[in-house]
Amino acid sequence: MIAVSLGAARVDEALRVVRALGAHRYVAGRLVLGHALAFACVPETADDLLGESRRWARELLATPGIDAASRDERLWRRCSEAELAAVLDAFWTPGPRRYAAHRTLRDHLLRLDLPVPDHAPFDEAAEDAMHPLLFDAGWELVTLGALDPGRHRGAMDAFESALAFESAVFEEATAIPPRPHLVELPALGPVELLRGADDEGRLVEPLVAWADGHQTYVDYVVRGVRRAAKVTERNDKI
């Protein structure tokens, strides 16, 4: 997979990008998983869309036999891009809510004897050892062969010629094993939630996606995500 810039250098930009990643016409499937610890730590608000997830998380963590320090699959919940963005908003946007979310997560981790690692946020080399993994989010794109000329003309026209597009469709259809087109966020653990943004609302480094599939197609989709999120385009490849 290659790193592709999502253009987001500030928290508000990152939240818009996360929402936009699942809101375009090229999404064929999604898997956004959130950990109970992340939901449980978010303070309540009047216009709270995390009410159901928070209730689930707090009830689960209070259930006898559930070890929140383990890798028990019951600690995970499918969620929406909007819910993921809401959790990131609580942990990253400056203000009292951010302070409360940080304090609660640190208290949970201390009680569970799960020290916060000292690696930098969004460190690819640390992903395999990350525990607990608090969010894992990825999207599969519609296959090239399934693109509809009426609905998906933009991506088809992104290829330098009709022949180039047809060649890409053929390569996709004959690939063994099949190669899906994927866009994934970096893994998000305690370090990312606690240190991913500073007190001024800036990300510690611009947000990237990890992408796999046909480069022309994936680049077109990511550019569209950036436009929808109203973020400045930066270098596509990191």
Side-chain angles (χ1 to χ4, degrees):
M1 302 187 89
I2 62 171
V4 181
S5 172
L6 292 172
R10 295 190 56 84
V11 171
D12 58 331
E13 294 174 334
L15 300 181
R16 294 198 300 270
V17 164
V18 168
R19 297 185 190 102
L21 279 167
H24 57 82
R25 69 190 66 180
Y26 296 95
V27 173
R30 55 172 53 77
L31 184 61
V32 183
L33 294 174
H35 195 282
L37 284 174
F39 292 118
C41 294
V42 177
E44 299 177 19
T45 61
D47 56 346
D48 196 352
L49 63 80
L50 293 174
E52 181 180 347
S53 295
R54 186 188 296 102
R55 284 192 297 273
W56 162 80
R58 291 179 178 175
E59 290 174 3
L60 180 68
L61 294 176
T63 301
I66 293 292
D67 179 4
S70 72
R71 301 181 188 274
D72 191 329
E73 292 183 359
R74 291 174 293 177
L75 293 165
W76 290 88
R77 176 186 177 92
R78 281 182 176 264
C79 61
S80 66
E81 293 87 357
E83 288 175 300
L84 169 55
V87 174
L88 295 179
D89 184 15
F91 276 92
W92 286 353
T93 299
R97 195 162 178 251
R98 177 173 181 256
Y99 173 79
H102 282 209
R103 183 188 61 211
T104 305
L105 179 56
R106 288 184 183 278
D107 287 347
H108 274 296
L109 295 173
L110 181 62
R111 177 176 55 81
L112 296 168
D113 196 22
L114 293 173
V116 179
D118 57 5
H119 65 76
F122 311 111
D123 181 357
E124 178 192 2
E127 288 192 3
D128 289 343
M130 185 181 292
H131 180 68
L133 175 61
L134 297 178
F135 278 101
D136 189 17
W139 298 264
E140 184 174 351
L141 306 182
V142 176
T143 62
L144 293 173
L147 293 180
D148 180 83
R151 181 170 171 77
H152 304 120
R153 172 55 63 183
M156 298 169 72
D157 289 346
F159 289 78
E160 61 185 22
S161 66
L163 179 59
F165 174 71
E166 292 301 329
S167 296
V169 171
F170 177 78
E171 291 174 4
E172 174 189 76
T174 56
I176 300 175
R179 184 186 179 191
H181 310 279
L182 304 172
V183 178
E184 300 177 358
L185 283 178
L188 301 175
V191 171
E192 286 67 35
L193 265 59
L194 295 171
R195 304 178 193 151
D198 66 19
D199 293 337
E200 303 300 320
R202 296 183 296 257
L203 299 183
V204 296
E205 62 178 54
L207 190 64
V208 302
W210 292 100
D212 196 16
H214 196 285
Q215 182 176 332
T216 298
Y217 182 30
V218 170
D219 285 351
Y220 173 83
V221 169
V222 171
R223 288 197 302 272
V225 167
R226 291 197 297 251
R227 285 195 300 271
K230 296 181 173 61
V231 296
T232 302
E233 291 199 14
R234 297 173 172 87
N235 291 334
D236 285 355
K237 297 194 192 80
I238 305 299

